[in-house]
Amino acid sequence: MSRPLTPRQQNVYDFIVKTLNEQGYPPTRAEIARALGFRSPNAAEEHLRALERKGVIRMVAGTSRGIRLPAQEQAEPEGEPPSQGLPIIGEVAAGSPVLATEHIDRYCPLPPEYFTPRADYLLRVRGLSMKDVGILEGDLLAVHRTERVRDGQIVVARLEDEVTVKRFRRQGPRVWLEAENPDFAPIEVDLRNEALEIEGIGVGVIRGGNGQALN
């Protein structure tokens, strides 16, 4: 550290560290402003720039959570690139792999091991078909990639080039993809003449894409 921090800068730095430790990813400017009583996110931005000049944080352009701690980055194993975190998948194009580069909106600096079993990616939820189990529009569903699934698990399934999040039920060659919302009818699939691919199972939820991770 080239120069000591002012008390206010120390408060901002401590909040960043606290958020990283508790949630696994850094706060936004708005969250910093709200937590520390700043009038606007611009005030938080000014403190972040000051912290960057003093070398205690690093700012990543183009992302609302682009705050990194150089001390943590230096702790990465020698010879290995710093982890980008979990990829956040937005829209999935028909017929293409979920983890195709063009589907990745950004990365969330949350370790895969935060979830059990470990997560491979975060899928942004569209719609309210799973609202009764607390999976809401805009949430991030943590997904463990596997084709092995048990009855009752929440899965990411691909059916006729569409990717959907539903609860899995199977009886013989018939599968039901069930919503957790009475407004949505189950999707019935006959495996004898319809293709169904399981992309993974849900292992946790990040509320609203930027709140506390639940697993």
Side-chain angles (χ1 to χ4, degrees), residues 1-10 47-58 70:
M1 187 184 305
S2 58
R3 288 174 288 168
L5 304 184
T6 67
R8 205 57 166 150
Q9 289 167 0
Q10 187 67 53
H47 287 294
L48 291 174
R49 294 300 175 191
L51 290 173
E52 185 177 39
R53 288 193 297 271
K54 292 183 177 182
V56 296
I57 68 170
R58 183 173 67 84

PDB file of all heavy atoms in Angstrom, residues 1-10 47-58 70:
ATOM      1  N   MET A   1       0.856  -1.197   0.000  1.00  0.00           N
ATOM      2  CA  MET A   1       0.000   0.000   0.000  1.00  0.00           C
ATOM      3  C   MET A   1       0.884   1.237   0.000  1.00  0.00           C
ATOM      4  O   MET A   1       1.738   1.385   0.862  1.00  0.00           O
ATOM      5  CB  MET A   1      -0.903  -0.017   1.239  1.00  0.00           C
ATOM      6  CG  MET A   1      -1.942   1.082   1.263  1.00  0.00           C
ATOM      7  SD  MET A   1      -2.878   1.018   2.827  1.00  0.00           S
ATOM      8  CE  MET A   1      -3.454  -0.662   2.799  1.00  0.00           C
ATOM      9  N   SER A   2       0.698   2.098  -0.945  1.00  0.00           N
ATOM     10  CA  SER A   2       1.583   3.241  -1.086  1.00  0.00           C
ATOM     11  C   SER A   2       1.287   4.330  -0.071  1.00  0.00           C
ATOM     12  O   SER A   2       2.204   4.969   0.435  1.00  0.00           O
ATOM     13  CB  SER A   2       1.465   3.811  -2.504  1.00  0.00           C
ATOM     14  OG  SER A   2       0.129   4.185  -2.773  1.00  0.00           O
ATOM     15  N   ARG A   3       0.035   4.557   0.250  1.00  0.00           N
ATOM     16  CA  ARG A   3      -0.344   5.595   1.205  1.00  0.00           C
ATOM     17  C   ARG A   3      -1.434   5.045   2.115  1.00  0.00           C
ATOM     18  O   ARG A   3      -2.227   4.196   1.703  1.00  0.00           O
ATOM     19  CB  ARG A   3      -0.867   6.828   0.462  1.00  0.00           C
ATOM     20  CG  ARG A   3       0.202   7.638  -0.262  1.00  0.00           C
ATOM     21  CD  ARG A   3      -0.432   8.734  -1.082  1.00  0.00           C
ATOM     22  NE  ARG A   3      -1.111   8.193  -2.266  1.00  0.00           N
ATOM     23  CZ  ARG A   3      -1.937   8.889  -3.044  1.00  0.00           C
ATOM     24  NH1 ARG A   3      -2.219  10.132  -2.755  1.00  0.00           N
ATOM     25  NH2 ARG A   3      -2.481   8.332  -4.102  1.00  0.00           N
ATOM     26  N   PRO A   4      -1.495   5.533   3.362  1.00  0.00           N
ATOM     27  CA  PRO A   4      -2.545   5.038   4.259  1.00  0.00           C
ATOM     28  C   PRO A   4      -3.929   5.461   3.770  1.00  0.00           C
ATOM     29  O   PRO A   4      -4.089   6.468   3.072  1.00  0.00           O
ATOM     30  CB  PRO A   4      -2.199   5.684   5.599  1.00  0.00           C
ATOM     31  CG  PRO A   4      -1.381   6.888   5.244  1.00  0.00           C
ATOM     32  CD  PRO A   4      -0.611   6.503   4.017  1.00  0.00           C
ATOM     33  N   LEU A   5      -4.935   4.666   4.134  1.00  0.00           N
ATOM     34  CA  LEU A   5      -6.310   4.971   3.743  1.00  0.00           C
ATOM     35  C   LEU A   5      -6.930   5.962   4.714  1.00  0.00           C
ATOM     36  O   LEU A   5      -6.629   5.960   5.904  1.00  0.00           O
ATOM     37  CB  LEU A   5      -7.149   3.698   3.730  1.00  0.00           C
ATOM     38  CG  LEU A   5      -6.666   2.533   2.860  1.00  0.00           C
ATOM     39  CD1 LEU A   5      -7.677   1.392   2.906  1.00  0.00           C
ATOM     40  CD2 LEU A   5      -6.425   2.978   1.425  1.00  0.00           C
ATOM     41  N   THR A   6      -7.801   6.808   4.187  1.00  0.00           N
ATOM     42  CA  THR A   6      -8.593   7.658   5.056  1.00  0.00           C
ATOM     43  C   THR A   6      -9.632   6.784   5.758  1.00  0.00           C
ATOM     44  O   THR A   6      -9.909   5.660   5.324  1.00  0.00           O
ATOM     45  CB  THR A   6      -9.317   8.745   4.253  1.00  0.00           C
ATOM     46  OG1 THR A   6     -10.299   8.119   3.420  1.00  0.00           O
ATOM     47  CG2 THR A   6      -8.343   9.537   3.388  1.00  0.00           C
ATOM     48  N   PRO A   7     -10.230   7.264   6.847  1.00  0.00           N
ATOM     49  CA  PRO A   7     -11.253   6.455   7.526  1.00  0.00           C
ATOM     50  C   PRO A   7     -12.397   6.039   6.590  1.00  0.00           C
ATOM     51  O   PRO A   7     -12.889   4.906   6.669  1.00  0.00           O
ATOM     52  CB  PRO A   7     -11.740   7.381   8.642  1.00  0.00           C
ATOM     53  CG  PRO A   7     -10.559   8.255   8.947  1.00  0.00           C
ATOM     54  CD  PRO A   7      -9.904   8.483   7.618  1.00  0.00           C
ATOM     55  N   ARG A   8     -12.814   6.943   5.708  1.00  0.00           N
ATOM     56  CA  ARG A   8     -13.921   6.612   4.804  1.00  0.00           C
ATOM     57  C   ARG A   8     -13.476   5.564   3.785  1.00  0.00           C
ATOM     58  O   ARG A   8     -14.243   4.649   3.455  1.00  0.00           O
ATOM     59  CB  ARG A   8     -14.408   7.883   4.097  1.00  0.00           C
ATOM     60  CG  ARG A   8     -15.856   7.818   3.631  1.00  0.00           C
ATOM     61  CD  ARG A   8     -16.766   7.535   4.798  1.00  0.00           C
ATOM     62  NE  ARG A   8     -18.161   7.791   4.446  1.00  0.00           N
ATOM     63  CZ  ARG A   8     -19.171   7.130   4.987  1.00  0.00           C
ATOM     64  NH1 ARG A   8     -18.941   6.161   5.868  1.00  0.00           N
ATOM     65  NH2 ARG A   8     -20.417   7.429   4.669  1.00  0.00           N
ATOM     66  N   GLN A   9     -12.269   5.715   3.270  1.00  0.00           N
ATOM     67  CA  GLN A   9     -11.760   4.724   2.329  1.00  0.00           C
ATOM     68  C   GLN A   9     -11.629   3.360   2.998  1.00  0.00           C
ATOM     69  O   GLN A   9     -11.910   2.332   2.391  1.00  0.00           O
ATOM     70  CB  GLN A   9     -10.408   5.175   1.777  1.00  0.00           C
ATOM     71  CG  GLN A   9     -10.503   6.363   0.829  1.00  0.00           C
ATOM     72  CD  GLN A   9      -9.151   6.997   0.545  1.00  0.00           C
ATOM     73  OE1 GLN A   9      -8.114   6.550   1.062  1.00  0.00           O
ATOM     74  NE2 GLN A   9      -9.142   8.045  -0.260  1.00  0.00           N
ATOM     75  N   GLN A  10     -11.215   3.370   4.268  1.00  0.00           N
ATOM     76  CA  GLN A  10     -11.108   2.107   4.998  1.00  0.00           C
ATOM     77  C   GLN A  10     -12.481   1.456   5.153  1.00  0.00           C
ATOM     78  O   GLN A  10     -12.614   0.225   5.045  1.00  0.00           O
ATOM     79  CB  GLN A  10     -10.488   2.348   6.379  1.00  0.00           C
ATOM     80  CG  GLN A  10     -10.178   1.067   7.144  1.00  0.00           C
ATOM     81  CD  GLN A  10      -9.073   0.250   6.495  1.00  0.00           C
ATOM     82  OE1 GLN A  10      -7.995   0.768   6.241  1.00  0.00           O
ATOM     83  NE2 GLN A  10      -9.353  -1.029   6.229  1.00  0.00           N
ATOM     84  N   HIS A  47     -14.552   6.972  -4.215  1.00  0.00           N
ATOM     85  CA  HIS A  47     -13.747   6.262  -3.216  1.00  0.00           C
ATOM     86  C   HIS A  47     -13.070   5.042  -3.835  1.00  0.00           C
ATOM     87  O   HIS A  47     -11.917   4.726  -3.492  1.00  0.00           O
ATOM     88  CB  HIS A  47     -14.627   5.848  -2.043  1.00  0.00           C
ATOM     89  CG  HIS A  47     -15.026   6.981  -1.151  1.00  0.00           C
ATOM     90  ND1 HIS A  47     -14.125   7.689  -0.376  1.00  0.00           N
ATOM     91  CD2 HIS A  47     -16.237   7.539  -0.900  1.00  0.00           C
ATOM     92  CE1 HIS A  47     -14.754   8.632   0.305  1.00  0.00           C
ATOM     93  NE2 HIS A  47     -16.047   8.559   0.005  1.00  0.00           N
ATOM     94  N   LEU A  48     -13.753   4.354  -4.734  1.00  0.00           N
ATOM     95  CA  LEU A  48     -13.152   3.197  -5.392  1.00  0.00           C
ATOM     96  C   LEU A  48     -11.940   3.614  -6.223  1.00  0.00           C
ATOM     97  O   LEU A  48     -10.907   2.926  -6.218  1.00  0.00           O
ATOM     98  CB  LEU A  48     -14.185   2.499  -6.279  1.00  0.00           C
ATOM     99  CG  LEU A  48     -15.322   1.781  -5.545  1.00  0.00           C
ATOM    100  CD1 LEU A  48     -16.347   1.249  -6.552  1.00  0.00           C
ATOM    101  CD2 LEU A  48     -14.789   0.644  -4.676  1.00  0.00           C
ATOM    102  N   ARG A  49     -12.060   4.734  -6.919  1.00  0.00           N
ATOM    103  CA  ARG A  49     -10.925   5.216  -7.719  1.00  0.00           C
ATOM    104  C   ARG A  49      -9.747   5.572  -6.820  1.00  0.00           C
ATOM    105  O   ARG A  49      -8.581   5.327  -7.170  1.00  0.00           O
ATOM    106  CB  ARG A  49     -11.348   6.425  -8.554  1.00  0.00           C
ATOM    107  CG  ARG A  49     -12.383   6.118  -9.630  1.00  0.00           C
ATOM    108  CD  ARG A  49     -11.860   5.107 -10.621  1.00  0.00           C
ATOM    109  NE  ARG A  49     -12.869   4.719 -11.600  1.00  0.00           N
ATOM    110  CZ  ARG A  49     -12.733   3.707 -12.447  1.00  0.00           C
ATOM    111  NH1 ARG A  49     -11.624   2.992 -12.434  1.00  0.00           N
ATOM    112  NH2 ARG A  49     -13.691   3.402 -13.285  1.00  0.00           N
ATOM    113  N   ALA A  50     -10.039   6.141  -5.666  1.00  0.00           N
ATOM    114  CA  ALA A  50      -8.967   6.472  -4.723  1.00  0.00           C
ATOM    115  C   ALA A  50      -8.298   5.209  -4.201  1.00  0.00           C
ATOM    116  O   ALA A  50      -7.061   5.147  -4.076  1.00  0.00           O
ATOM    117  CB  ALA A  50      -9.528   7.301  -3.564  1.00  0.00           C
ATOM    118  N   LEU A  51      -9.093   4.184  -3.913  1.00  0.00           N
ATOM    119  CA  LEU A  51      -8.535   2.913  -3.450  1.00  0.00           C
ATOM    120  C   LEU A  51      -7.685   2.260  -4.543  1.00  0.00           C
ATOM    121  O   LEU A  51      -6.644   1.664  -4.256  1.00  0.00           O
ATOM    122  CB  LEU A  51      -9.662   1.962  -3.036  1.00  0.00           C
ATOM    123  CG  LEU A  51     -10.421   2.328  -1.759  1.00  0.00           C
ATOM    124  CD1 LEU A  51     -11.610   1.395  -1.564  1.00  0.00           C
ATOM    125  CD2 LEU A  51      -9.498   2.267  -0.540  1.00  0.00           C
ATOM    126  N   GLU A  52      -8.116   2.418  -5.786  1.00  0.00           N
ATOM    127  CA  GLU A  52      -7.332   1.859  -6.891  1.00  0.00           C
ATOM    128  C   GLU A  52      -5.997   2.586  -7.019  1.00  0.00           C
ATOM    129  O   GLU A  52      -4.953   1.956  -7.236  1.00  0.00           O
ATOM    130  CB  GLU A  52      -8.120   1.944  -8.190  1.00  0.00           C
ATOM    131  CG  GLU A  52      -7.408   1.277  -9.365  1.00  0.00           C
ATOM    132  CD  GLU A  52      -8.228   1.305 -10.636  1.00  0.00           C
ATOM    133  OE1 GLU A  52      -8.889   2.341 -10.899  1.00  0.00           O
ATOM    134  OE2 GLU A  52      -8.216   0.308 -11.376  1.00  0.00           O
ATOM    135  N   ARG A  53      -6.016   3.909  -6.886  1.00  0.00           N
ATOM    136  CA  ARG A  53      -4.771   4.671  -6.978  1.00  0.00           C
ATOM    137  C   ARG A  53      -3.793   4.266  -5.880  1.00  0.00           C
ATOM    138  O   ARG A  53      -2.577   4.300  -6.087  1.00  0.00           O
ATOM    139  CB  ARG A  53      -5.071   6.175  -6.910  1.00  0.00           C
ATOM    140  CG  ARG A  53      -5.723   6.745  -8.162  1.00  0.00           C
ATOM    141  CD  ARG A  53      -5.698   8.255  -8.151  1.00  0.00           C
ATOM    142  NE  ARG A  53      -6.456   8.831  -7.054  1.00  0.00           N
ATOM    143  CZ  ARG A  53      -7.757   9.127  -7.102  1.00  0.00           C
ATOM    144  NH1 ARG A  53      -8.447   8.877  -8.224  1.00  0.00           N
ATOM    145  NH2 ARG A  53      -8.362   9.663  -6.060  1.00  0.00           N
ATOM    146  N   LYS A  54      -4.322   3.884  -4.730  1.00  0.00           N
ATOM    147  CA  LYS A  54      -3.464   3.476  -3.614  1.00  0.00           C
ATOM    148  C   LYS A  54      -3.082   1.997  -3.687  1.00  0.00           C
ATOM    149  O   LYS A  54      -2.352   1.517  -2.817  1.00  0.00           O
ATOM    150  CB  LYS A  54      -4.172   3.782  -2.289  1.00  0.00           C
ATOM    151  CG  LYS A  54      -4.306   5.288  -2.038  1.00  0.00           C
ATOM    152  CD  LYS A  54      -4.938   5.609  -0.702  1.00  0.00           C
ATOM    153  CE  LYS A  54      -4.978   7.120  -0.473  1.00  0.00           C
ATOM    154  NZ  LYS A  54      -5.550   7.472   0.862  1.00  0.00           N
ATOM    155  N   GLY A  55      -3.587   1.299  -4.701  1.00  0.00           N
ATOM    156  CA  GLY A  55      -3.139  -0.061  -4.952  1.00  0.00           C
ATOM    157  C   GLY A  55      -3.804  -1.155  -4.154  1.00  0.00           C
ATOM    158  O   GLY A  55      -3.352  -2.307  -4.188  1.00  0.00           O
ATOM    159  N   VAL A  56      -4.893  -0.854  -3.434  1.00  0.00           N
ATOM    160  CA  VAL A  56      -5.508  -1.886  -2.597  1.00  0.00           C
ATOM    161  C   VAL A  56      -6.632  -2.631  -3.317  1.00  0.00           C
ATOM    162  O   VAL A  56      -7.054  -3.695  -2.880  1.00  0.00           O
ATOM    163  CB  VAL A  56      -6.030  -1.301  -1.265  1.00  0.00           C
ATOM    164  CG1 VAL A  56      -4.885  -0.758  -0.442  1.00  0.00           C
ATOM    165  CG2 VAL A  56      -7.073  -0.231  -1.512  1.00  0.00           C
ATOM    166  N   ILE A  57      -7.142  -2.054  -4.425  1.00  0.00           N
ATOM    167  CA  ILE A  57      -8.106  -2.759  -5.255  1.00  0.00           C
ATOM    168  C   ILE A  57      -7.726  -2.561  -6.714  1.00  0.00           C
ATOM    169  O   ILE A  57      -6.913  -1.703  -7.051  1.00  0.00           O
ATOM    170  CB  ILE A  57      -9.564  -2.281  -5.033  1.00  0.00           C
ATOM    171  CG1 ILE A  57      -9.749  -0.838  -5.553  1.00  0.00           C
ATOM    172  CG2 ILE A  57      -9.980  -2.396  -3.576  1.00  0.00           C
ATOM    173  CD1 ILE A  57     -11.202  -0.387  -5.598  1.00  0.00           C
ATOM    174  N   ARG A  58      -8.327  -3.381  -7.554  1.00  0.00           N
ATOM    175  CA  ARG A  58      -8.164  -3.225  -9.003  1.00  0.00           C
ATOM    176  C   ARG A  58      -9.544  -3.174  -9.617  1.00  0.00           C
ATOM    177  O   ARG A  58     -10.412  -3.981  -9.283  1.00  0.00           O
ATOM    178  CB  ARG A  58      -7.374  -4.392  -9.595  1.00  0.00           C
ATOM    179  CG  ARG A  58      -7.097  -4.263 -11.087  1.00  0.00           C
ATOM    180  CD  ARG A  58      -6.174  -5.368 -11.563  1.00  0.00           C
ATOM    181  NE  ARG A  58      -6.805  -6.682 -11.503  1.00  0.00           N
ATOM    182  CZ  ARG A  58      -7.602  -7.187 -12.468  1.00  0.00           C
ATOM    183  NH1 ARG A  58      -7.862  -6.470 -13.548  1.00  0.00           N
ATOM    184  NH2 ARG A  58      -8.118  -8.394 -12.342  1.00  0.00           N
ATOM    185  N   PRO A  70      -6.019  -7.209  -5.322  1.00  0.00           N
ATOM    186  CA  PRO A  70      -4.716  -7.705  -5.797  1.00  0.00           C
ATOM    187  C   PRO A  70      -4.100  -8.751  -4.879  1.00  0.00           C
ATOM    188  O   PRO A  70      -3.460  -9.688  -5.342  1.00  0.00           O
ATOM    189  CB  PRO A  70      -3.854  -6.441  -5.855  1.00  0.00           C
ATOM    190  CG  PRO A  70      -4.829  -5.329  -6.066  1.00  0.00           C
ATOM    191  CD  PRO A  70      -6.055  -5.737  -5.288  1.00  0.00           C
TER     192      PRO A  70
END
